[in-house]
């Protein structure tokens, strides 16, 4: 399988406010992903704490990137030899961000980023919005980058990441019942219009505020889903061959043909 | 039907190089649309001449916007009391553009524009590329704008038009076999991510160079198709209620929530 990476979207729920329980769940899912031959496991937004848990709990549980919560995530990645991308609250002084981190299979945090687009009251009340486009990073012959939930619904986000060279977008999300259009339409469109891979990993079940709609999906650079989850807990596996990006761009190349002179 | 407009996407073929035959076809289709109660008929890209007809023929047949070809189109719109949007070659001095024109039901050309994104050799050989975003115009309580074929595959185009106030995007196209993803995925995504209506009207059949894939579609502001054509000649009818745009934007408003400070 030269150059082919097996990716997993781990659709699961979080125990609201219980970091220890969620870290144990991350460990079990990473073990499952390793057994399934996965090179990378993407888990949902705010999976270490739960998403709709209120501003007080988010602020109390948020840690800097070098805090014990993410240190443990790096250890899990290293122990199982699987790269891990997931969402978590990030403290930076007085600010708390809705962040994603990408750890390689040696436990090193390669890249990540802060949610830029605030979804409704829940994001505004719980988080400071991020003001930087996440950085792309090289990982095993592929260029990866993160985006978070509502960010990927805006074509500007995926365009900026793909223009920076990203070939595999890892998207932790907490998408709710009533918004199936995101998994069915917008995420596949982001893959197709940039001719990249997208891994979109969602919550299932409920938390104190929301009911989540599942439908995690891995999409190829032609916009075709390589695997889609249902509504419940499930791990979606897909093989990602970055050579397919060149094939998709051979007939028409959106990044080359776009009018950056007109649209920036 | 207060405030509701009936729109038609007229999926049809062109007779390559025969403007007179194509104008007669436009007349018949406009008559059919009027009988079906349509307020607006959108027809394909370059429908007055055919699309894959070669640079010599395109240059020979191209006329300025006030030439006899488009004058006749305005008369057809007026005679049937139906607004008409279609594609045609446009001469401007030495340059020939791949253009669209929108005529109201009185035969007045309200707006239009030139194709900005060149698709492969066919566009590069036949046309000068347009360097301006098409202007939006008010028509019967709705703000309309045009885009052409490959233009709509770029999210930047629809974003710019919707940001300028457009609620109904009229898209003449000449999309080929092998590119079903445009009708199935990218056009619905443009509607959903901007919460606007899109009318995408394609060719059917063949010309000297290409085979077209049909699948003309009218999409609502929630990304759901209101009507989709098959592969052959067909008129897709749909009722467009601009009130639905407000409903779609009530829960989350992409144009309001986007980060123009980060992405322009």
């Amino acid at each position: 399988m030269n150059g082919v990476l097996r990716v997993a979207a781990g659709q699961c729920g979080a125990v609201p406010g219980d970091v220890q329980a969620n870290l144990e769940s991350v460990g079990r899912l990473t073990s499952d992903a390793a057994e399934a031959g996965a090179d990378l496991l993407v888990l949902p937004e705010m999976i270490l704490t739960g998403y709709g848990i209120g501003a007080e709990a988010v602020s109390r549980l948020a840690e800097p990137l070098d805090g014990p919560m993410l240190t443990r995530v790096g250890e899990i990645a290293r122990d199982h030899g699987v790269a891990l991308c997931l969402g978590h609250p990030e403290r930076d002084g007085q600010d708390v961000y809705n962040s994603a981190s990408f750890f390689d299979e040696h436990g090193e945090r390669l890249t990540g980023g802060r949610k830029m687009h605030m979804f409704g009251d829940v994001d505004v009340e719980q988080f400071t919005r991020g003001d930087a486009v996440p950085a792309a990073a090289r990982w095993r012959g592929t260029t990866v980058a993160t985006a978070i939930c509502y960010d990927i619904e805006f074509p500007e986000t995926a365009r900026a990441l793909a223009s920076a060279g990203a070939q595999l977008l890892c998207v932790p999300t907490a998408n709710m019942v009533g918004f199936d259009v995101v998994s069915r339409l917008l995420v596949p469109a982001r893959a197709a219009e940039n001719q990249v891979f997208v891994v979109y990993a969602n919550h299932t079940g409920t938390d104190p505020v929301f009911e989540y709609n599942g439908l995690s999906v891995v999409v190829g650079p032609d916009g075709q889903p390589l695997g889609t989850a249902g509504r419940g807990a499930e791990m979606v596996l897909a093989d990602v061959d970055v050579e397919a990006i060149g094939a998709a761009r051979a007939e028409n190349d959106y990044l080359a043909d776009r009018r950056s002179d007109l649209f920036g």
Side-chain angles (χ1 to χ4, degrees), chain A residues 8-10 26 30 39-45 47 70 73 77 82-88 99-104 111-113 144-148 168-173 199 201:
Chain A
V26 169
T30 307
D39 299 293
L40 165 65
L41 170 63
V42 182
L43 292 171
E45 180 180 14
I47 195 62
L70 290 180
V73 173
V82 173
L84 255 178
C85 177
L86 50 69
H88 57 87
S99 294
S101 289
F102 185 109
F103 294 85
D104 71 11
T111 189
V144 298
T146 63
I148 302 172
L168 173 60
L169 309 186
C170 301
V171 188
T173 192
V199 186

Side-chain angles (χ1 to χ4, degrees), chain A residues 111-256:
Chain A
T111 189
R114 296 164 172 172
K115 193 174 189 178
M116 298 173 283
H117 299 85
M118 299 286 95
F119 181 80
D121 292 341
V122 59
D123 274 339
V124 170
E125 290 170 4
Q126 296 190 150
F127 304 105
T128 300
R129 72 180 189 181
D131 281 333
V133 178
R138 290 295 286 174
W139 171 69
R140 296 187 60 179
T142 305
T143 304
V144 298
T146 63
I148 302 172
C149 190
Y150 201 34
D151 284 339
I152 203 68
E153 299 178 36
F154 295 80
E156 292 86 349
T157 304
R159 187 65 107 208
L161 297 174
S163 296
Q167 299 166 308
L168 173 60
L169 309 186
C170 301
V171 188
T173 192
N175 193 36
M176 298 105 180
V177 166
F179 294 94
D180 287 4
V181 71
V182 180
S183 289
R184 305 281 197 210
L185 187 60
L186 296 183
V187 168
R190 297 301 161 254
E193 71 207 17
N194 294 291
Q195 301 168 309
V196 296
F197 290 90
V198 182
V199 186
Y200 184 77
N202 196 18
H203 286 254
T204 181
T206 61
D207 66 21
V209 185
F210 299 112
E211 182 178 1
Y212 300 102
N213 71 337
L215 301 180
S216 298
V217 64
V218 181
V219 187
D222 58 358
Q224 297 303 311
L226 301 172
T228 306
R231 303 291 181 181
E234 186 177 345
M235 189 169 292
V236 178
L237 290 161
D239 289 330
V240 164
D241 181 355
V242 292
E243 301 284 320
I245 291 176
R249 293 177 181 173
E251 192 134 26
N252 66 302
D253 184 332
Y254 286 122
L255 294 178

